[in-house]
Amino acid sequence: MSAVPPAVIDSMFAAGVGAWNTLNTSPIDYWTGAFRRGATPWELMQDLGRWNVALAARQRLLWAHEAQQSVVGEWPLARLRDYSAPDADPRQIPTVILRPQAGHASSIVDFAEDQSQIMVGRENGCARILSMDWIGATAQTRDAGIEDYMELLREVTDLLGGRVNLVGDCQGGWLATIFAALHPRRVNSLAITGPPLTSTPASP
């Protein structure tokens, strides 16, 4: 099995530290704001009540164009949803979107009728377009690591003919980048947005 480059490991560590810092500073920001506005105990209780209501009302986002797609592959870690146009040329290299996982439903790539990354792709030439639909951690997958995701993407590319265009958003961006680095012959093109990656200067 190919080794993950040290620079990628360093970038992932830096991203994890950044996420931890965010989790720790958010409560500080709230209490600082509450102090500045002179919040009373009653107002603090109201804030807590609104927070609990928001959490209880939170629902999983649906896929806006669910009627137009089908699951063409399923693994313990994810499903592969096919949004290809009905008249898509089967010879076209397919495009696969890798969505972020933490805090987002995979359906964020197909958020609404007029706000869909998938449909924008279709309208701009990616007639064969698919999206990974990440499955939440289970007892079976709680110890899954990067190698498991690389194996999953190898199986996805095999299923789709051996070569794909990868679009990675946020965490999907570093997954796509690692996969492209390890398996360049399987990746026709790579597009990433907002991945938690940092550059490392080349050694002299």
Side-chain angles (χ1 to χ4, degrees), residues 82-180:
D82 190 350
Y83 276 85
S84 300
D87 58 350
D89 184 346
R91 296 170 297 178
Q92 184 183 67
I93 295 176
T95 296
V96 179
I97 300 175
L98 304 184
R99 282 300 303 150
Q101 294 164 279
H104 298 279
S106 297
S107 53
I108 196 170
V109 296
D110 191 40
F111 183 73
E113 289 288 336
D114 59 349
Q115 189 176 344
S116 172
Q117 185 177 2
I118 289 171
M119 292 303 143
V120 168
R122 269 181 46 171
E123 292 165 3
N124 288 274
C126 299
R128 289 188 69 195
I129 190 165
L130 305 95
S131 179
M132 298 305 298
D133 179 7
W134 304 115
I135 297 173
T138 64
Q140 180 183 1
T141 62
R142 64 183 179 181
D143 296 321
I146 295 174
E147 293 82 2
D148 299 292
Y149 284 91
M150 294 299 102
E151 177 60 29
L152 167 63
L153 293 179
R154 282 193 292 271
E155 293 184 19
V156 168
T157 54
D158 285 342
L159 179 66
L160 298 177
R163 195 165 173 82
V164 298
N165 301 307
L166 284 181
V167 177
D169 302 330
C170 195
Q171 288 163 295
W174 64 254
L175 275 179
T177 301
I178 294 172
F179 187 77

Side-chain angles (χ1 to χ4, degrees), residues 10-78:
D10 291 343
S11 297
M12 291 168 55
F13 177 77
V17 171
W20 178 254
N21 286 337
T22 299
L23 288 172
N24 281 287
T25 57
S26 294
I28 294 172
D29 290 343
Y30 169 77
W31 287 108
T32 300
F35 177 77
R36 286 179 181 164
R37 63 187 166 94
T40 65
W42 173 246
E43 290 171 331
L44 295 176
M45 290 297 293
Q46 287 180 312
D47 287 348
L48 178 60
R50 284 192 290 269
W51 173 254
N52 287 331
V53 168
L55 285 179
R58 186 178 179 188
Q59 297 179 350
R60 187 174 181 83
L61 296 175
L62 299 177
W63 296 76
H65 298 88
E66 192 156 8
Q68 299 181 29
Q69 58 76 39
S70 60
V71 175
V72 294
E74 186 162 357
W75 299 263
L77 291 171

